[in-house]
Coordinates of all heavy atoms in Angstrom, one line a residue:
V138 N -7.2 15.9 9.2 CA -8.1 16.5 8.3 C -9.3 15.5 7.9 O -10.5 15.8 8.0 CB -7.6 17.2 7.1 CG1 -8.5 17.6 6.1 CG2 -6.6 18.3 7.5
I139 N -8.7 14.4 7.5 CA -9.7 13.4 7.0 C -10.5 12.7 8.1 O -11.8 12.5 7.9 CB -8.8 12.2 6.2 CG1 -8.3 12.8 4.9 CG2 -9.6 11.0 6.0 CD1 -7.1 12.1 4.3
M140 N -10.0 12.4 9.3 CA -10.8 11.8 10.4 C -11.8 12.8 10.8 O -12.9 12.4 11.2 CB -9.9 11.3 11.5 CG -9.0 10.3 11.1 SD -9.6 8.8 10.2 CE -10.5 8.1 11.5
D141 N -11.5 14.2 10.8 CA -12.5 15.1 11.2 C -13.6 15.1 10.2 O -14.8 15.2 10.7 CB -11.8 16.6 11.3 CG -10.9 16.7 12.5 OD1 -11.0 15.8 13.4 OD2 -10.2 17.6 12.6
L142 N -13.4 15.1 8.9 CA -14.4 15.0 8.0 C -15.3 13.8 8.2 O -16.5 13.9 8.0 CB -13.7 14.9 6.6 CG -13.4 16.2 5.9 CD1 -12.7 16.0 4.5 CD2 -14.5 17.1 5.7
A143 N -14.6 12.7 8.5 CA -15.4 11.4 8.5 C -16.2 11.4 9.7 O -17.4 10.9 9.6 CB -14.4 10.2 8.6
S144 N -15.8 12.0 10.8 CA -16.7 11.9 12.0 C -17.8 13.0 11.8 O -19.0 12.8 12.2 CB -15.9 12.1 13.4 OG -15.4 13.3 13.4
K145 N -17.5 14.1 11.2 CA -18.5 15.2 10.9 C -19.6 14.7 10.1 O -20.8 14.9 10.3 CB -17.8 16.4 10.3 CG -18.8 17.5 9.9 CD -18.0 18.7 9.4 CE -18.9 19.7 8.7 NZ -18.1 20.6 7.8
H146 N -19.2 13.8 9.0 CA -20.3 13.2 8.2 C -20.7 11.9 8.4 O -21.4 11.3 7.6 CB -19.8 13.4 6.7 CG -19.5 15.0 6.2 ND1 -20.6 15.7 5.9 CD2 -18.6 15.7 6.4 CE1 -20.2 16.9 5.6 NE2 -18.9 16.9 5.9
N147 N -20.2 11.3 9.5 CA -20.5 9.9 9.8 C -20.2 8.9 8.8 O -21.1 8.1 8.4 CB -22.0 9.9 10.2 CG -22.3 8.7 11.0 OD1 -21.4 8.1 11.6 ND2 -23.6 8.3 11.1
I148 N -19.0 9.0 8.3 CA -18.5 8.0 7.2 C -17.3 7.3 7.7 O -16.6 7.9 8.6 CB -18.3 8.7 5.8 CG1 -17.5 9.9 6.0 CG2 -19.7 9.1 5.2 CD1 -17.2 10.7 4.6
F149 N -16.9 6.1 7.1 CA -15.8 5.4 7.5 C -14.5 5.7 6.6 O -14.6 6.3 5.5 CB -16.2 3.9 7.2 CG -17.3 3.3 8.0 CD1 -18.4 2.9 7.5 CD2 -17.0 3.1 9.4 CE1 -19.4 2.4 8.3 CE2 -18.0 2.7 10.2 CZ -19.2 2.3 9.7
V150 N -13.4 5.5 7.3 CA -12.1 5.7 6.6 C -11.3 4.4 6.5 O -11.2 3.7 7.5 CB -11.3 6.7 7.4 CG1 -9.9 6.9 6.7 CG2 -12.0 8.1 7.3
V151 N -11.0 4.1 5.3 CA -10.0 2.9 5.1 C -8.7 3.4 4.6 O -8.6 4.3 3.8 CB -10.7 2.0 4.0 CG1 -9.7 0.9 3.8 CG2 -12.1 1.4 4.4
E152 N -7.7 3.0 5.2 CA -6.4 3.4 4.8 C -5.7 2.3 3.9 O -5.5 1.1 4.3 CB -5.3 3.5 6.0 CG -5.7 4.7 7.1 CD -4.8 4.7 8.2 OE1 -3.6 5.0 7.9 OE2 -5.2 4.2 9.3
D153 N -5.5 2.7 2.6 CA -4.8 1.7 1.9 C -3.2 2.0 2.1 O -2.6 3.0 1.6 CB -5.0 2.1 0.4 CG -4.2 1.1 -0.6 OD1 -3.2 0.5 -0.2 OD2 -4.6 0.9 -1.8
A154 N -2.7 1.2 3.1 CA -1.3 1.4 3.5 C -0.5 0.4 2.9 O 0.5 0.0 3.4 CB -1.2 1.3 5.0
A155 N -0.9 0.0 1.7 CA 0.0 -1.0 0.9 C 1.5 -0.8 0.9 O 2.3 -1.6 1.0 CB -0.5 -1.3 -0.5
Q156 N 1.8 0.5 0.7 CA 3.2 1.0 0.7 C 3.7 1.5 1.9 O 4.9 2.0 2.0 CB 3.4 1.9 -0.4 CG 2.8 1.6 -1.8 CD 2.8 2.7 -2.7 OE1 3.3 3.8 -2.5 NE2 2.1 2.5 -3.9
A157 N 2.9 1.4 3.0 CA 3.2 2.3 4.2 C 3.7 1.6 5.4 O 3.5 2.1 6.6 CB 2.1 3.2 4.5
I158 N 4.2 0.5 5.3 CA 4.6 -0.3 6.5 C 5.6 0.6 7.4 O 6.5 1.2 6.8 CB 5.2 -1.7 6.2 CG1 5.3 -2.5 7.5 CG2 6.5 -1.6 5.4 CD1 5.4 -4.0 7.3
A159 N 5.3 0.6 8.7 CA 6.3 1.2 9.7 C 6.4 2.8 9.4 O 7.4 3.3 9.8 CB 7.6 0.5 9.6
S160 N 5.5 3.3 8.8 CA 5.6 4.8 8.6 C 4.5 5.4 9.5 O 3.6 4.6 10.0 CB 5.3 5.2 7.1 OG 5.9 6.4 6.8
T161 N 4.7 6.6 9.8 CA 3.8 7.3 10.8 C 3.2 8.6 10.3 O 3.7 9.3 9.5 CB 4.5 7.5 12.1 OG1 5.6 8.4 11.9 CG2 5.0 6.2 12.8
Y162 N 2.1 9.1 11.1 CA 1.5 10.3 10.9 C 1.5 10.9 12.4 O 0.9 10.4 13.2 CB 0.2 10.2 10.4 CG -0.7 11.5 10.4 CD1 -0.4 12.5 9.5 CD2 -1.6 11.7 11.4 CE1 -1.3 13.7 9.5 CE2 -2.4 12.9 11.5 CZ -2.1 13.9 10.5 OH -2.8 15.2 10.6
K163 N 2.2 12.1 12.5 CA 2.3 12.7 13.9 C 2.7 11.7 14.8 O 2.0 11.7 16.0 CB 1.1 13.5 14.2 CG 0.8 14.7 13.2 CD -0.4 15.4 13.7 CE -0.7 16.5 12.7 NZ -1.8 17.4 12.9
G164 N 3.5 10.7 14.6 CA 3.9 9.7 15.6 C 3.0 8.5 15.6 O 3.3 7.4 16.3
R165 N 1.8 8.5 14.9 CA 0.9 7.3 14.9 C 1.1 6.5 13.8 O 1.3 7.0 12.7 CB -0.5 7.9 15.0 CG -0.8 8.6 16.2 CD -2.2 9.3 16.1 NE -3.3 8.4 16.1 CZ -4.5 8.6 15.7 NH1 -4.9 9.9 15.3 NH2 -5.5 7.7 15.8
V166 N 1.1 5.1 14.0 CA 1.5 4.3 13.0 C 0.3 4.2 11.8 O -0.8 4.2 12.1 CB 1.9 2.9 13.5 CG1 0.7 2.0 13.4 CG2 3.1 2.4 12.9
L167 N 0.8 4.3 10.6 CA -0.2 4.3 9.5 C -0.9 2.9 9.3 O -0.3 1.8 9.7 CB 0.5 4.5 8.1 CG 1.1 6.0 8.0 CD1 1.6 6.3 6.6 CD2 0.1 7.1 8.5
G168 N -2.1 2.9 9.1 CA -2.9 1.7 9.1 C -3.7 1.5 10.3 O -4.6 0.7 10.4
S169 N -3.3 2.3 11.4 CA -3.9 2.2 12.7 C -4.9 3.3 13.0 O -5.6 3.4 14.0 CB -3.1 2.0 13.7 OG -2.4 3.3 14.0
I170 N -5.1 4.4 12.0 CA -5.7 5.5 12.2 C -7.3 5.5 11.8 O -8.1 5.9 12.5 CB -5.0 6.7 11.6 CG1 -3.6 6.8 12.2 CG2 -5.7 8.0 12.0 CD1 -2.5 7.7 11.6
G171 N -7.4 5.1 10.6 CA -8.7 4.8 10.0 C -9.4 3.6 10.7 O -8.8 3.0 11.5
H172 N -10.7 3.4 10.2 CA -11.4 2.2 10.9 C -10.8 1.0 10.4 O -10.8 0.0 11.2 CB -12.9 2.3 10.4 CG -13.6 3.6 10.9 ND1 -13.5 4.7 10.2 CD2 -14.4 3.9 12.0 CE1 -14.2 5.7 10.8 NE2 -14.7 5.1 11.9
L173 N -10.3 0.9 9.2 CA -9.6 -0.3 8.7 C -8.4 0.1 8.1 O -8.2 1.3 7.5 CB -10.4 -1.0 7.8 CG -11.8 -1.5 8.5 CD1 -12.9 -1.8 7.3 CD2 -11.6 -2.8 9.3
G174 N -7.3 -0.8 8.0 CA -6.1 -0.4 7.3 C -5.6 -1.7 6.4 O -5.6 -2.8 7.0
A175 N -5.1 -1.4 5.2 CA -4.7 -2.7 4.4 C -3.4 -2.5 4.1 O -2.8 -1.5 3.5 CB -5.6 -2.7 3.1
F176 N -2.5 -3.7 4.1 CA -1.1 -3.6 3.9 C -0.7 -4.6 2.7 O -1.6 -5.6 2.6 CB -0.1 -4.0 5.1 CG -0.2 -2.9 6.2 CD1 -1.2 -2.8 7.1 CD2 0.7 -2.0 6.1 CE1 -1.2 -2.0 8.1 CE2 0.8 -0.9 7.1 CZ -0.3 -0.9 8.1
S177 N 0.3 -4.5 2.0 CA 0.7 -5.4 1.0 C 2.1 -6.0 1.2 O 3.0 -5.3 1.7 CB 0.8 -4.8 -0.4 OG 1.2 -5.6 -1.3
F178 N 2.2 -7.3 1.0 CA 3.5 -7.9 1.1 C 3.9 -8.5 -0.3 O 4.5 -9.6 -0.4 CB 3.7 -9.0 2.2 CG 3.1 -8.6 3.4 CD1 2.0 -9.0 4.0 CD2 3.7 -7.4 4.0 CE1 1.5 -8.7 5.3 CE2 3.2 -7.0 5.4 CZ 2.1 -7.5 6.0
H179 N 3.5 -7.9 -1.2 CA 3.7 -8.3 -2.7 C 5.3 -8.1 -2.9 O 5.9 -7.3 -2.2 CB 3.0 -7.3 -3.7 CG 3.3 -7.6 -5.0 ND1 4.2 -6.8 -5.9 CD2 2.6 -8.4 -5.9 CE1 4.1 -7.4 -7.1 NE2 3.2 -8.2 -7.2
E180 N 5.9 -8.7 -3.8 CA 7.4 -8.7 -3.9 C 8.0 -7.3 -4.3 O 9.1 -7.1 -4.2 CB 7.9 -9.8 -4.9 CG 7.7 -9.4 -6.3 CD 8.6 -10.2 -7.3 OE1 8.9 -11.3 -7.0 OE2 9.0 -9.7 -8.4
T181 N 7.1 -6.4 -4.6 CA 7.6 -5.0 -4.9 C 7.5 -4.1 -3.6 O 8.0 -3.0 -3.6 CB 6.8 -4.4 -6.0 OG1 5.4 -4.5 -5.6 CG2 7.0 -5.1 -7.3
K182 N 7.0 -4.7 -2.5 CA 6.9 -3.9 -1.3 C 8.1 -4.1 -0.4 O 8.9 -4.9 -0.6 CB 5.6 -4.1 -0.6 CG 4.3 -4.0 -1.4 CD 4.2 -2.6 -2.0 CE 2.8 -2.3 -2.5 NZ 2.5 -2.8 -3.7
N183 N 8.2 -3.2 0.7 CA 9.4 -3.5 1.6 C 9.5 -4.8 2.2 O 10.7 -5.3 2.4 CB 9.4 -2.3 2.7 CG 9.5 -1.0 2.1 OD1 9.2 -0.7 1.0 ND2 9.8 0.0 3.0
I184 N 8.5 -5.3 2.7 CA 8.4 -6.7 3.3 C 7.6 -7.5 2.3 O 6.5 -7.2 1.9 CB 7.7 -6.6 4.6 CG1 8.5 -5.7 5.6 CG2 7.6 -7.9 5.3 CD1 9.8 -6.2 6.0
Q185 N 8.1 -8.8 2.2 CA 7.5 -9.5 1.0 C 7.3 -10.9 1.2 O 7.9 -11.5 2.1 CB 8.5 -9.5 -0.2 CG 9.0 -8.1 -0.6 CD 10.3 -8.1 -1.2 OE1 10.8 -9.2 -1.3 NE2 10.9 -7.0 -1.4
C186 N 6.2 -11.5 0.6 CA 6.0 -13.0 0.7 C 5.7 -13.5 -0.7 O 4.9 -14.4 -0.8 CB 5.3 -13.4 1.8 SG 3.5 -13.0 1.8
G187 N 6.0 -12.8 -1.8 CA 5.5 -13.2 -3.1 C 4.2 -12.4 -3.2 O 4.1 -11.2 -3.8
E188 N 3.0 -13.0 -2.8 CA 1.7 -12.3 -2.8 C 1.3 -12.4 -1.3 O 1.3 -13.5 -0.7 CB 0.7 -13.0 -3.6 CG 1.2 -13.1 -5.1 CD 0.8 -11.9 -5.9 OE1 0.3 -10.9 -5.4 OE2 1.2 -11.8 -7.1
G189 N 0.9 -11.3 -0.7 CA 0.4 -11.4 0.7 C -0.1 -10.0 1.1 O 0.2 -8.9 0.5
G190 N -0.9 -10.0 2.2 CA -1.3 -8.7 2.6 C -1.8 -8.8 4.1 O -1.6 -9.9 4.8
L191 N -2.3 -7.8 4.6 CA -2.8 -7.8 6.0 C -3.9 -6.7 6.2 O -3.8 -5.6 5.7 CB -1.6 -7.3 7.0 CG -1.9 -7.2 8.4 CD1 -1.6 -8.6 9.1 CD2 -1.0 -6.1 9.2
L192 N -4.9 -7.1 7.0 CA -6.0 -6.1 7.3 C -5.8 -5.8 8.9 O -5.8 -6.7 9.6 CB -7.3 -6.8 7.0 CG -8.6 -5.8 7.3 CD1 -8.7 -4.7 6.3 CD2 -9.8 -6.6 7.2
A193 N -5.8 -4.5 9.0 CA -5.7 -4.0 10.4 C -7.2 -3.6 10.8 O -7.8 -2.8 10.1 CB -4.8 -3.0 10.6

Side-chain angles (χ1 to χ4, degrees):
V138 172
I139 288 160
M140 296 312 290
D141 283 351
L142 276 177
S144 65
K145 179 172 158 199
H146 296 278
N147 199 20
I148 51 189
F149 294 112
V150 174
V151 177
E152 296 178 72
D153 180 340
Q156 305 172 9
I158 191 164
S160 204
T161 60
Y162 170 78
K163 297 185 181 173
R165 298 168 68 193
V166 103
L167 298 185
S169 75
I170 303 169
H172 299 85
L173 299 163
F176 292 88
S177 174
F178 309 120
H179 184 264
E180 76 164 27
T181 52
K182 305 302 201 280
N183 293 23
I184 298 290
Q185 312 147 0
C186 65
E188 304 276 356
L191 181 90
L192 182 69

